Amino acid sequence: GGALAAGRPALARTRYVFDQSVGRLEFVARHLGVLSSTGRFEDFAAELLIDPDRPLTTHVEVTVRTAVVALAYPGAVDLLRSPAFFDVERFPEARFNGRATGEGTLARFPLVGDLTIRGITRPHRMEARLVDRKRDPALGRDVAEFAGAGTMKRSEFGMTAETAAISDE
């Protein structure tokens, strides 16, 4: 009876990697308190380490090349690349390194970690969810789709320009 109660040993973590070819990394900014715009980073790499027996202990790392950004407003991309915002000449990458806390369910769980933008690192919390997980016959392995979202204050990373026109969050 004791051996049966112990259960099976935990499986090794599965490594999932993705980038802009199979994923999206977007952001939303509010303007003048009434409008919003959605932009996207077009060059990033992400890695998830997931224990299939304990998916709420997932570890995530994301690296973003901040110069490769798209936003529909004229002049917005140049502004985002400038020293007033991402300062891509001095800080070409932004990073998030975090983990699931073990709380919640796969439908909704927190990710906590460190967000680094412009060489400034701050604690960051996001909410994530498993959208889909299935076996991909062409790849011969499991494929998982996750979504995550969080709010950051750009002023905490030294981006204080255009405060009258662009929200801090």
Side-chain angles (χ1 to χ4, degrees):
L4 292 175
R8 65 183 179 150
L11 297 174
R13 289 184 176 227
T14 302
R15 181 175 176 251
Y16 293 91
V17 294
F18 63 96
D19 60 17
Q20 62 282 345
S21 68
V22 294
R24 284 189 324 264
L25 186 54
E26 298 178 331
F27 58 90
V28 176
R30 300 230 359 118
H31 307 280
L32 305 172
V34 292
L35 305 170
S36 65
S37 59
T38 301
R40 70 184 173 283
F41 292 104
E42 296 183 319
D43 187 357
F44 66 90
E47 177 180 283
L48 298 171
L49 294 175
I50 302 172
D51 178 339
D53 291 333
R54 297 176 41 223
L56 294 177
T57 63
T58 294
H59 180 263
V60 59
E61 290 185 34
V62 181
T63 301
V64 177
R65 294 203 27 157
T66 54
V68 190
V69 61
L71 195 60
Y73 290 98
V77 169
D78 290 336
L79 180 63
L80 288 176
R81 291 177 181 156
S82 77
F85 282 86
F86 289 117
D87 196 359
V88 300
E89 293 297 320
R90 292 180 49 213
F91 305 104
E93 294 181 341
R95 298 179 187 277
F96 177 74
N97 185 349
R99 62 175 180 76
T101 64
E103 302 166 346
T105 68
L106 288 176
R108 184 175 164 180
F109 60 94
L111 287 175
V112 296
D114 292 322
L115 178 62
T116 302
I117 301 173
R118 294 172 46 107
I120 300 168
T121 301
R122 298 273 188 255
H124 189 63
R125 183 179 178 95
M126 295 191 297
E127 193 146 299
R129 65 186 174 91
L130 175 65
V131 175
D132 192 18
R133 182 176 175 190
K134 61 187 171 200
R135 186 86 175 158
D136 185 322
L139 295 174
R141 61 183 167 156
D142 285 347
V143 175
E145 181 181 349
F146 288 86
T151 301
M152 55 150 293
K153 289 189 175 197
R154 64 187 178 96
S155 60
E156 292 179 351
F157 298 92
M159 296 183 278
T160 57
E162 304 287 334
T163 56
I166 305 170
S167 72
D168 190 29
E169 293 187 345

